[in-house]
Amino acid sequence: MSKRILGALLVAVLVAAGIYFVTRPGDDSTPAQEFLADQRTFESDDWLERACALPKDELVRLWRGHHDTHSEDVTIVPLPPNYSGAFSVTSHSGPWDYLQRVPLVFYGPDQIKPGGVREDPVSLVDVYPTMNALTGSVLDPPGGEPHVNEADVLSVAGDGPLPKLIVTIVWDGVGRNVLERWPGRWPTLERMEADGTSFLNATVGSSPSITPATHATLGTGRFPLDHGVTAIEYRAEDGAVRGIFPGRDPSDLKTDTFGDRFDLAMENEPLVGMLAWKSWHMGMLGHGAQTPGGDHDQLALIGSDHRLTGNPAFYETPDYLTEFPGLEERADELDRSDGEADGKWRGRDPLEQHDNPAWVQWQTDAMIAMLDREGYGTDEVPDLFYTNYKPSDITAHQHNMDSPEMGAAIEAQDAGLERLIDFLDDKVRDYAIIVTADHGNTPPPTRSGGWPVLQGQLEEDVNAEFDVPEGRSLIRVTSAAGPFINRQVAREIGVDAADIARFLNGYTIRDNYAEAELPEGYEERGDENVLAAAFPSDRIGDVLRCRFGSSEPPPELNA
């Protein structure tokens, strides 16, 4: 019998036993990560019992990510490595370490201590006070004492020249598990870790680990329970469920950002700006002129029509960025990189999807042009600039984190980082760069053995369970973090979030699949629960009291 067949049989036995290992494709010998999967079925469907049994650190992250008004009505926690999505589309919402651990790298030739590879348990709320220290500590920390000791990071700690410019860069979706999956593709970031200060155990700190929520945490130094940005889908004060930041209006963000407060403290002298993709990232920039006394900070968002625009009510967008040139040329370069000028890269037109290196290179072109032409870092007052590279996240959703497209995206973003450093070395000199990510990524089910919780089928089954009249639905919107309930329908038929949570706690793989035969590899797994827990979101205080004896986590867990 061949080693390959023996390996396949071993994987089958482990899956049947409820033990899943994450390995790199083509490597059947060395597991890279073991998921918590020792229990795949549960006797109780009680929402409090199930939620109370979640690991303590996961409960703390769920609590930090909950907002009484804006969050989903039922919080779901898939049984890892399960996830909300489809076999071909993964999501990344969850409290588990593999989604929570992100790079956090501080770099600056004369500003940041070299060689500071640290293992302190920090989170993204600690970026705010560290930026405050970098800029002279003119503000009070937003949420108590920082966990990042400025003496561990700063070379000068206020005794030398302040950086003229701080650039904060988010590699969207490139958590530690993605970097580990693609070694050798990020030499610039690796060098920055060695020459600056890197926190190897940094986490997002809250769940849902979703782009808008995490960027708002990065900007405000607070978690969603305070800043109010919980996810892409958002329940407004009037009860309507909608997307976050409609019309690029920042008022969904309930607290000030570092940029807001620093700009005011410096009498609006600093340049504060951002170039990113869509409005989901606005929470790390701030409110612009919506802040009383604030000015029109600079905002340039990449849209689906290849234009860079903003919102003139609260922000300024430089005219030359609106139709910034060069994307077609970058796409043509990428097309030719495979040796054939056929308008395709990996079988697709690079201009049709924001998932390839051409977009990374064009964004870097635009960012450097904006920094140069607007004069960022040209005087002694520190300026702030923020950017998010979205292609890595879109690639993970459309292809998965193991795909060659992901390796190419990381390589291109790293090359963009090198170009930025070259520019700053030449034009600014006194600067600091912060590189992080907003979440990790979920391995594809072919590698993890996870089940994709199919949201359409889940909604159909909820409606069938509670005899919802045809043409109506108990669920208004589904999300990776849980469903928003149609409250009118719920009232009419006498169903509440606790009822739905109880049903979902008994929900199995067999229930979640409409076809008669389960997919290959899952034939014997139909009785497994798909969720570790589901509970009414507004009862999270009861869950914490069950686990900790208080409606808030103990201080040692919430540090």
Side-chain angles (χ1 to χ4, degrees), residues 6 78 274 285 322 365 399-400 488 527:
L6 281 171
M274 182 174 79
L285 173 65
T322 303
D365 295 339
H399 307 289
N400 77 59
Q488 180 177 346
D527 291 337

Side-chain angles (χ1 to χ4, degrees), residues 103-271:
L104 181 56
V105 181
F106 296 87
Y107 172 82
D110 296 316
Q111 309 296 330
I112 305 298
K113 282 188 174 180
V117 177
R118 306 188 60 82
E119 297 186 0
D120 310 48
V122 302
S123 70
L124 292 188
V125 295
D126 295 307
V127 171
Y128 182 118
T130 308
M131 291 183 69
N132 189 35
L134 271 169
T135 52
S137 300
V138 299
L139 305 176
D140 294 328
E145 291 300 316
H147 306 132
V148 174
N149 186 340
E150 65 182 69
D152 294 332
V153 179
L154 275 62
S155 286
V156 295
D159 296 330
L162 298 177
K164 296 177 181 178
L165 173 62
I166 301 175
V167 180
T168 302
I169 301 171
V170 178
W171 282 8
D172 206 305
V174 184
R176 279 286 171 191
N177 71 330
V178 180
L179 291 178
E180 291 165 2
R181 171 62 187 85
W182 292 102
R185 299 296 186 100
W186 37 284
T188 306
L189 182 60
E190 192 170 28
R191 175 174 64 82
M192 290 172 64
E193 288 194 304
D195 293 345
T197 297
S198 176
F199 289 87
L200 298 180
N201 292 317
T203 62
V204 173
S206 67
S207 181
S209 46
I210 298 289
T211 293
T214 306
H215 283 75
T217 295
L218 183 64
T220 65
R222 295 180 180 271
F223 291 115
L225 80 156
D226 292 317
H227 64 60
V229 178
T230 51
I232 296 171
E233 298 297 336
Y234 174 99
R235 191 182 288 277
E237 282 77 1
D238 62 3
V241 179
R242 56 165 172 78
I244 197 76
F245 299 133
R248 298 171 176 177
D249 182 333
S251 57
D252 286 342
L253 183 66
K254 305 305 181 187
T255 54
D256 293 335
T257 65
F258 179 80
D260 289 332
R261 295 186 64 204
F262 180 72
D263 206 11
L264 285 177
M266 304 300 289
E267 299 180 343
N268 290 321
E269 288 190 45
L271 286 172

Side-chain angles (χ1 to χ4, degrees), residues 319-364:
D319 291 341
Y320 59 87
L321 289 177
T322 303
E323 297 187 14
F324 191 76
L327 179 59
E328 290 78 6
E329 289 77 6
R330 290 299 192 182
D332 184 62
E333 292 172 9
L334 184 63
D335 165 29
R336 295 172 183 274
S337 68
D338 59 10
E340 185 178 3
D342 58 357
K344 305 288 184 182
W345 180 74
R346 303 197 63 82
R348 297 175 300 279
D349 182 347
L351 294 176
E352 288 183 355
Q353 297 287 348
H354 195 94
D355 65 348
N356 59 73
W359 289 88
V360 175
Q361 293 165 341
W362 178 68
Q363 178 176 337
T364 305

Side-chain angles (χ1 to χ4, degrees), residues 110-111 134-135 160-167 262 269-272 371 375-385 424 426-433:
D110 296 316
Q111 309 296 330
L134 271 169
T135 52
L162 298 177
K164 296 177 181 178
L165 173 62
I166 301 175
V167 180
F262 180 72
E269 288 190 45
L271 286 172
V272 180
L371 291 171
Y376 281 84
T378 55
D379 59 29
E380 300 306 312
V381 178
D383 298 328
L384 308 175
F385 191 84
L424 296 176
D426 182 47
K427 292 295 183 72
V428 178
R429 294 186 176 84
D430 291 325
Y431 66 88
I433 299 176

Side-chain angles (χ1 to χ4, degrees), residues 259-260 263-264 267-268 287-297 313-314:
D260 289 332
D263 206 11
L264 285 177
E267 299 180 343
N268 290 321
H287 296 82
Q290 193 177 75
T291 300
D295 62 350
H296 284 67
D297 296 329
F314 307 118

Side-chain angles (χ1 to χ4, degrees), residues 453-469:
V453 184
L454 307 172
Q455 295 296 307
Q457 186 63 47
L458 183 147
E459 179 178 358
E460 182 178 321
D461 292 337
V462 166
N463 289 330
E465 171 70 14
F466 295 103
D467 297 321
V468 178

Side-chain angles (χ1 to χ4, degrees), residues 57-67 71-72 75-78 92-96 99-100 204-210 213-214 217 223-225 230-231 480-481 540:
D57 58 342
E58 294 180 13
L59 279 178
V60 173
R61 291 164 181 169
L62 290 163
W63 171 75
R64 289 169 172 168
H66 170 76
H67 190 279
S71 289
E72 66 285 346
T75 296
I76 64 171
V77 184
H92 47 69
S93 176
W96 317 290
L99 295 182
Q100 289 282 322
V204 173
S206 67
S207 181
S209 46
I210 298 289
T214 306
T217 295
F223 291 115
L225 80 156
T230 51
I540 193 166

